[in-house]
Amino acid sequence: MSAAPTVVIGSAGRRLYLVDWFREAFADFGLDGRVVVTENDPTSAAASYGDIGRTLPRYVDPAYGPALLELVDELRPAVFLSVNDYELMHLHVATDLADRMRERGILVPGVDRVWQLGCADKLRMAQLLEAIGVPTPRTVTGDDEAGIAEISAASESLVVKHRLGSGSSGLALVPADGVRAAINAAIDSAPAPADGSAPSGQDVVVQPCLPGLEHGVDIVGDLREPGGLRAVLARRKVRMRAGETDKAASVDPAPFVATAERIARAAQLTGLIDTDMFLAEGGEPSVIDINPRFGGGYPFVHLAGADVPRYYLARALGLEIDEDWREYAPGVISAKHESVRVTATEG
Amino acid sequence: MSAAPTVVIGSAGRRLYLVDWFREAFADFGLDGRVVVTENDPTSAAASYGDIGRTLPRYVDPAYGPALLELVDELRPAVFLSVNDYELMHLHVATDLADRMRERGILVPGVDRVWQLGCADKLRMAQLLEAIGVPTPRTVTGDDEAGIAEISAASESLVVKHRLGSGSSGLALVPADGVRAAINAAIDSAPAPADGSAPSGQDVVVQPCLPGLEHGVDIVGDLREPGGLRAVLARRKVRMRAGETDKAASVDPAPFVATAERIARAAQLTGLIDTDMFLAEGGEPSVIDINPRFGGGYPFVHLAGADVPRYYLARALGLEIDEDWREYAPGVISAKHESVRVTATEG
């Protein structure tokens, strides 16, 4: 009656390494497990890469929820994780689908609703972080003239970006006298608000440009005890490309642990979230972004020795593991490269 | 006295598949050949991936030329190819390094100096294509008010981009009434001209937005007889990401052959160049861009069956091959994905 132990990865897109690493984790435990990939685009690189591939309707389609529940009832996965911010928003905020999977005994890593909303809204995120005493850049909207003037007076260069953007969407780094033009340009390219009105200064945020080096930090919470910190995995960004880290060096996580602990507890974290933090020498890290899922920076710590998929499987399946899944060597530099695979044949 | 047959790939960067495919081509011929990768960044994904990796100074460094010639005199490659536009410009236009390698009997694929210059300058390119009767969008600079008015009158939407840009640098698609703002934004983000002056309307081009579907087309010239067309390899772009084709479907090259023939002859082409062409149903293709090197679209025809590395080796080493290196199946859809590798360890 019991099927093979199963993990579902939603919207894996270009991240085939996650499929590989969960498969390797099953093998490490001597288990004949299955990695299921769900995609709405059957020609995406990941769609045909899992042990089982399933096409789901797009998350905006009313058929998405029923199809997802039917799929988990059939395959009975131990863990369901998604790599897509919009799908996560739909699962955790717009619907109760995450909870309905959890009622079925499926682990669905993530943060609570309030923090999930904050992850998509840079103004809310700054407010959430301030409320728990975690340093974050002062953040005001593009129509807050007094706030912008204050930031301009205190900081030589400013960051302008889309309030609801992801990656470096709408991003500009400008001197104070260029901030108005940058805000206007960011408004022009901002996604339209849900109410159908034209984008305005409310849809853009302005921040001071921070000193220090930008780091990617994965915060890993216990999969079964919300808010319990289990690992912090950090890398220094060496080069960016198209809003993602293209090259990075693994670093000692010690400077980030206290911040990670506060966020994990406040957000009632389970599983891995990807964050961006600036760290100036001798200072406290300042958090600039949180993505509540495996991000593009996880490979830089995995290749240095960490193994979160192994932790996920152990905790989901009740297996014993030692602590070395969270150990990695600092100073390992890795770089991304292009790979291509055939995904379909026409007609 | 004779070393192993050798190919040098300059600045391979993120394109590790080229190293793999040249290696496989050597193996197909039963040869124990070497693929040498040169890079100025020893931590790039490709730098440590070849059979031999060599660090060269950056092309702007006066030490670059002597180091390159020393390297080819030592390794005696049959072919030297670069995947970087700036390095190509330096080899073929700013210096006589390409010719000095050719004098040594090394095949250095490419186009003649005039076309190499055109590949970096979208206004020149349009003029070169018009002169040989190849359709290309009307192209004017951002300060040509009369030209912009003419294009606006004839076309509902306009393309604005950097004149000397690559990929989608500075790209905006705008209606006629948005063209002035788009030109100003593109000027603001344009690279500074070589004479140190501020970027102006001269550094931006305006074109009409073309109807039809965008295709990537590789034109392959004979490696030893400049201007002789040997293959045309085409794919329809399905999705773009960060200025590169992320997903594409291989297509029958027939509609592109006459255009390819004209370009190959005029440019005195040897080896592969990557082009972008719009094709409207029943129409002639219109060329919008030429990159004089292997581009990010080649994998989409290689995975469908084409094998240009095998052709390069055969022609360079005087080996017999049949014509199937240029045959591929139409309708094969492929998608790119992320891979990551460790490239170095810090101190």
Side-chain angles (χ1 to χ4, degrees), chain A residues 127-341:
Chain A
Q127 292 162 348
L128 287 169
L129 291 166
E130 276 164 21
I132 61 167
V134 166
T136 186
R138 172 93 197 272
T139 301
V140 301
T141 52
D143 56 3
D144 179 351
E145 300 303 336
I148 295 168
E150 265 178 61
I151 296 173
S152 299
S155 180
E156 266 186 36
S157 100
L158 284 75
V159 177
V160 176
K161 49 190 171 182
H162 292 157
R163 176 173 168 182
L164 306 180
S166 72
S168 52
S169 150
L171 181 71
L173 292 175
V174 291
D177 65 3
V179 71
R180 180 47 49 200
I183 290 169
N184 289 338
I187 291 173
D188 283 348
S189 62
D195 65 8
S197 61
S200 71
Q202 277 286 317
D203 300 300
V204 169
V205 292
V206 179
Q207 300 172 328
C209 193
L210 296 182
L213 296 174
E214 189 171 348
H215 289 74
V217 180
D218 290 332
I219 307 178
V220 186
D222 194 287
L223 266 190
R224 295 189 177 274
E225 294 163 21
L229 182 69
R230 292 296 168 264
V232 182
L233 314 167
R235 55 269 163 193
R236 189 181 71 252
K237 300 185 180 192
V238 175
R239 190 177 58 207
M240 300 296 289
R241 184 174 182 278
E244 283 202 4
T245 312
D246 190 55
K247 191 194 290 185
S250 58
V251 299
D252 179 358
F256 307 100
V257 170
T259 300
E261 213 152 29
R262 259 181 283 174
I263 293 172
R265 192 168 51 238
Q268 287 293 288
L269 175 64
T270 56
L272 181 148
I273 55 175
D274 164 282
T275 71
D276 296 318
M277 304 195 197
F278 270 91
L279 184 64
E281 215 170 326
E284 240 190 309
S286 189
V287 177
I288 59 166
D289 203 12
I290 299 185
N291 300 299
R293 52 169 170 75
F294 278 90
Y298 174 69
F300 299 108
V301 290
H302 189 95
L303 292 182
D307 194 344
V308 176
R310 192 149 56 89
Y311 170 68
Y312 270 34
L313 292 190
R315 204 72 179 108
L317 303 171
L319 306 168
E320 288 288 315
I321 52 168
D322 49 30
E323 294 298 298
D324 65 359
W325 67 269
R326 62 184 186 188
E327 304 291 331
Y328 61 93
V332 176
I333 301 175
S334 304
K336 290 191 184 163
H337 56 92
E338 270 178 29
S339 298
V340 196
R341 65 189 296 268

Side-chain angles (χ1 to χ4, degrees), chain A residues 14-36:
Chain A
R14 299 164 51 89
R15 299 198 175 148
L16 276 51
Y17 52 77
L18 277 182
V19 178
D20 288 330
W21 294 340
F22 273 100
R23 218 175 250 154
E24 287 168 18
F26 275 125
D28 279 354
F29 287 117
L31 290 173
D32 187 20
R34 304 181 297 190
V35 182
V36 178

Side-chain angles (χ1 to χ4, degrees), chain A residues 9 15 38 50 59-60 89 115 165 212 224 229 253 257 275 322 346:
Chain A
I9 305 180
R15 299 198 175 148
T38 60
Y59 69 94
V60 286
M89 209 61 175
W115 281 75
R224 295 189 177 274
L229 182 69
V257 170
T275 71
D322 49 30
E346 287 177 326

